[in-house]
Structures are given as structure tokens and as C-alpha cells.
Amino acid sequence: MVSVTYTCPYCDTVVEIDRDAYLADKSVTREPLAGYEYSSTTGAYEDADGIEFVCIGRPETESGDEGCGRTFYLNYVRFEDGRERDDGPSLEDTPRFDFQP
């Protein structure tokens, strides 16, 4: 298991979950993707197409972020006939702001 963090697309609060490292992330979206089956963070999310998060933040953060309470979705990469399905936005489609000095 690895600890993975995601940013809420509504309020930018960081949420965290422990999960198997083999799961491949596709995207984080405000709405569920059509045809995807989601699990809660306490369910069998390894067997689902993604995870339905409720933004509650990380309790151990010093900033005391409590989150906005809204629902957002982590979508895993899905395959069909050995090829990645094009089910919507991908993490590679989002702009990156990795400013390096």
C-alpha cells in the first residue's frame, strides 16, 4: 500500500488515501464519467473504475483544512482489448505548473 494525495477540484484541499500502487490514475473530475462504477473510500475501490471522494481534507495538516464537503471523482485508466479506453480527460491533458528555478 502507498499513501496517495489528491486535490479537490472545488476548493484545492488535499485528501489522502492508502491504496495499492498498481492502480493507474486517469483523472480527477467534478462529475462521474459515464459508464464508470465508483467505490467509496472505505469500499472495495481496487475492484471499481474509480473512487468517489467527499472532500474532508487531511486531519493531520497544520492548516486545519476541513474541506468543502463536496463530492469529486478519481478515475482509473480502463482498458478494452488491451488498449487504453478514451473515456474523457486524462491527467496528461491538464496544465502543469512545475516551475523550476
Side-chain angles (χ1 to χ4, degrees):
M1 295 292 250
V2 295
S3 181
V4 184
T5 58
Y6 301 97
T7 302
C8 173
Y10 295 102
C11 70
D12 293 330
T13 295
V14 175
V15 298
E16 182 176 27
I17 191 166
D18 291 328
R19 57 159 230 212
D20 287 332
Y22 77 88
L23 297 168
D25 297 348
K26 180 173 182 64
S27 61
V28 174
T29 56
R30 291 181 176 198
E31 300 295 327
L33 295 182
Y36 270 54
E37 292 185 26
Y38 295 93
S39 173
S40 70
T41 57
T42 59
Y45 49 81
E46 294 90 355
D47 299 326
D49 296 322
I51 302 173
E52 178 182 78
F53 282 95
V54 176
C55 179
I56 57 172
R58 293 192 310 190
E60 74 276 4
T61 60
E62 292 180 19
S63 64
D65 289 339
E66 294 181 17
C68 63
R70 297 176 84 176
T71 302
F72 66 96
Y73 301 86
L74 167 65
N75 309 292
Y76 298 143
V77 173
R78 296 193 324 178
F79 295 91
E80 186 174 292
D81 297 327
R83 295 183 184 204
E84 183 179 338
R85 291 177 50 159
D86 183 16
D87 293 322
S90 171
L91 291 175
E92 287 77 33
D93 296 337
T94 59
R96 300 217 183 261
F97 299 99
D98 298 337
F99 298 109
Q100 308 254 339

